[in-house]
Amino acid sequence: MNLHVPTVTLDNGASTIKCRAVSTHGEPLPIRIIPNAIIRSKGDKTTYFGHDFTTERCRDFASLSYRLPFEKGYLVDWDAQKAIWDGIFSDNVLNVDTTESSLLITEPYLNLPNIQEVYDQFVFEEYEFNRSWHASPECMLLIDSGFSFTHVVPLICGNIVWNAVKRLDMGGKLLTNHLKELVSFRQWNMMDETYIVNDVKESCCFVSNDFRRDLEMCRSVLLMNNERFSVPEVMFSPHIIGLNQAGLPGAVAASIALLPEDLQGMFWANIGVFGGNTKLPGFRERLLSELRSLAPASDDVCIYECENPISAPLDGALNFVQTSAYQDRLISREEYLEGGSNAIRRKWKDWKGPRDGELDSSPEPPETNPNEVETETVARRGPGRPRKRPPTPEDEDDDMPVISVLACRGPGRPRRNPMPV
């Protein structure tokens, strides 16, 4: 018998999907954490789709190959993602009827407009959810260190100050790959053992509070050598692997510097951290130590940790769906079918600008070189990608028909050459 569940919360991460359903009586069902990948085992010659991959079913973890829907933090392989979502919504995981449910789903910060449109098509056309809201996390600064990126996100009265958001091109995937290279160079060839090396990273690595001291000590004591803490050190000193970016403490300081001066002290005192990388032992202590040296002497620096950094966004989503504000934020399938993705963007404020008729409360960005701004914009769009013009009020009165991506690219997803599993 199918269980009627009116609300589905989906934290669609690049490494794992954290999902939970809320019953008709408001009782949350258990959280499920599912690999966001199609995994092929060469040992038992079996392909696992998301929830199928468990330690009970897979017996050989050597030389696992991964087909990831996300690449560099953006959802690009929609065929793989749909296969994983199909299993989540089936009776094997959440057991929901999508046509009778509403959906709260997360999407990456600074997400690209064409990717947002395909999100909308999947939600309302492929799965036919009744209502949906895309979540992006009163005065505090959040550090989200996940699989592909690490983001520093300031919020004022629940709204993200987009011009002060900072993104570092480092996350759990980069740390795992760095550990694979170190181990392969010094001991065994582990370049094809992603699962095993990732498990070693999560079990053994820690953040050093004194990198030089521990580096000298481990040369004569530890069999594992300095890999245990030199891998997480990349988050604080990216230059050691040739990454020309500021470390996490520098990104936090740069983000706060772009906020209103009279509020900066509140952000230094309200820093929240979550994401898988923040579970590394010593992460909070090291970050706090370095931020104190960057903050003004008159400001207190406080960092708040979650009880479970992995499921923290899903726990926040559960609290949100149980409030009346959630119903006000939802957009119905009828609204989407009538106005398309443009109607959704006008209702939901994101990094591309305020909603129609609403003044932007974010502080004015500092003056910059126009040539630098143009270069950054082209880099985000990618080579050859046409510039997307934001919708204007005149567009609402335009009688010309809107041709959706769906009509050009098939049912609910863009055309993509299939990737071998």
Side-chain angles (χ1 to χ4, degrees):
M1 181 178 180
N2 191 32
L3 177 65
H4 175 70
V5 180
T7 303
V8 176
T9 56
L10 202 68
D11 182 8
N12 199 58
S15 176
T16 59
I17 297 177
K18 283 71 68 178
C19 55
R20 170 187 265 172
V22 180
S23 69
T24 52
H25 305 293
E27 299 176 355
L29 301 181
I31 293 177
R32 296 290 300 272
I33 300 178
I34 296 168
N36 195 4
I38 299 176
I39 304 172
R40 173 74 175 176
S41 173
K42 296 181 180 179
D44 53 20
K45 294 180 171 57
T46 304
T47 301
Y48 302 95
F49 291 83
H51 70 281
D52 293 333
F53 184 76
T54 61
T55 54
E56 291 78 15
R57 295 193 59 183
C58 181
R59 299 296 183 182
D60 189 351
F61 296 98
S63 299
L64 296 176
S65 59
Y66 288 77
R67 177 178 173 180
L68 301 174
F70 279 78
E71 182 68 29
K72 295 184 178 179
Y74 295 107
L75 181 50
V76 294
D77 190 344
W78 293 93
D79 293 328
Q81 188 65 88
K82 181 181 183 301
I84 298 169
W85 282 348
D86 286 344
I88 290 177
F89 299 140
S90 70
D91 54 6
N92 293 322
V93 184
L94 294 183
N95 190 25
V96 299
D97 181 0
T98 57
T99 62
E100 299 293 334
S101 305
S102 64
L103 174 69
L104 189 155
I105 184 172
T106 62
E107 64 179 49
Y109 307 98
L110 309 177
N111 203 9
L112 300 176
N114 59 335
I115 298 180
Q116 289 177 326
E117 292 176 2
V118 185
Y119 264 99
D120 301 334
Q121 292 174 17
F122 266 84
V123 171
F124 290 114
E125 299 182 29
E126 187 73 29
Y127 293 107
E128 298 183 353
F129 276 95
N130 272 346
R131 294 170 296 175
S132 173
W133 187 59
H134 294 195
S136 296
E138 288 287 17
C139 214
M140 74 176 306
L141 186 137
L142 297 178
I143 298 175
D144 181 1
S145 186
F147 183 69
S148 301
F149 295 127
T150 295
H151 288 92
V152 178
V153 186
L155 295 92
I156 297 179
C157 297
N159 296 318
I160 296 177
V161 185
W162 288 107
N163 72 290
V165 172
K166 297 296 180 181
R167 181 175 69 190
L168 302 177
D169 297 332
M170 63 184 75
K173 181 179 179 180
L174 184 142
L175 300 184
T176 299
N177 290 338
H178 184 46
L179 180 58
K180 285 196 295 185
E181 293 177 358
L182 292 177
V183 174
S184 299
F185 178 75
R186 293 177 178 175
Q187 299 183 48
W188 307 296
N189 183 4
M190 302 290 287
M191 295 304 295
D192 294 330
E193 307 297 344
T194 302
Y195 180 86
I196 295 175
V197 175
N198 186 72
D199 187 67
V200 170
K201 179 195 73 174
E202 295 178 352
S203 302
C204 299
C205 288
F206 66 95
V207 176
S208 171
N209 286 322
D210 191 334
F211 182 70
R212 295 183 179 276
R213 182 199 63 192
D214 290 341
L215 188 63
E216 292 296 329
M217 183 174 61
C218 81
R219 288 176 178 172
S220 59
V221 178
L222 295 177
L223 180 62
M224 182 72 177
N225 223 324
N226 61 18
E227 293 91 349
R228 293 187 64 200
F229 55 86
S230 61
V231 170
E233 184 66 21
V234 172
M235 302 182 64
F236 297 87
S237 305
H239 65 273
I240 64 178
I241 61 169
L243 192 60
N244 188 23
Q245 286 189 322
L248 180 56
V252 171
S255 175
I256 294 179
L258 294 173
L259 300 171
E261 187 174 353
D262 56 337
L263 297 179
Q264 291 181 10
M266 298 178 63
F267 283 94
W268 284 111
N270 291 276
I271 300 176
V273 296
F274 62 96
N277 297 322
T278 65
K279 293 181 65 177
L280 292 171
F283 178 89
R284 179 185 179 277
E285 291 76 10
R286 171 69 178 276
L287 181 61
L288 182 62
S289 174
E290 297 207 8
L291 288 180
R292 279 176 174 163
S293 64
L294 298 175
S298 58
D299 293 336
D300 294 329
V301 180
C302 298
I303 298 178
Y304 298 93
E305 293 180 296
C306 306
E307 182 177 351
N308 187 343
I310 299 295
S311 64
L314 206 63
D315 294 334
L318 173 62
N319 295 331
F320 179 64
V321 300
Q322 294 175 337
T323 65
S324 58
Y326 173 65
Q327 301 298 327
D328 298 334
R329 297 288 186 93
L330 289 172
I331 187 167
S332 66
R333 185 168 183 265
E334 289 73 17
E335 291 177 284
Y336 168 77
L337 294 178
E338 180 179 351
S341 292
N342 287 338
I344 296 178
R345 299 305 149 223
R346 285 194 293 268
K347 185 172 182 179
W348 295 341
K349 180 179 178 180
D350 62 11
W351 66 277
K352 294 182 294 300
R355 291 168 284 190
D356 289 352
E358 180 184 17
L359 296 177
D360 190 358
S361 59
S362 303
E364 291 293 330
E367 295 183 2
T368 56
N369 188 333
N371 296 327
E372 294 179 357
V373 175
E374 179 64 22
T375 301
E376 181 181 2
T377 304
V378 173
R380 289 180 180 174
R381 289 201 311 269
R385 180 172 297 161
R387 189 190 307 270
K388 185 175 181 68
R389 179 176 61 87
T392 61
E394 289 77 7
D395 293 337
E396 301 179 6
D397 300 328
D398 196 348
D399 294 329
M400 295 184 64
V402 177
I403 301 177
S404 68
V405 179
L406 176 68
C408 302
R409 295 178 175 171
R413 57 182 178 273
R415 180 174 299 170
R416 178 179 176 84
N417 294 328
M419 294 177 58
V421 176

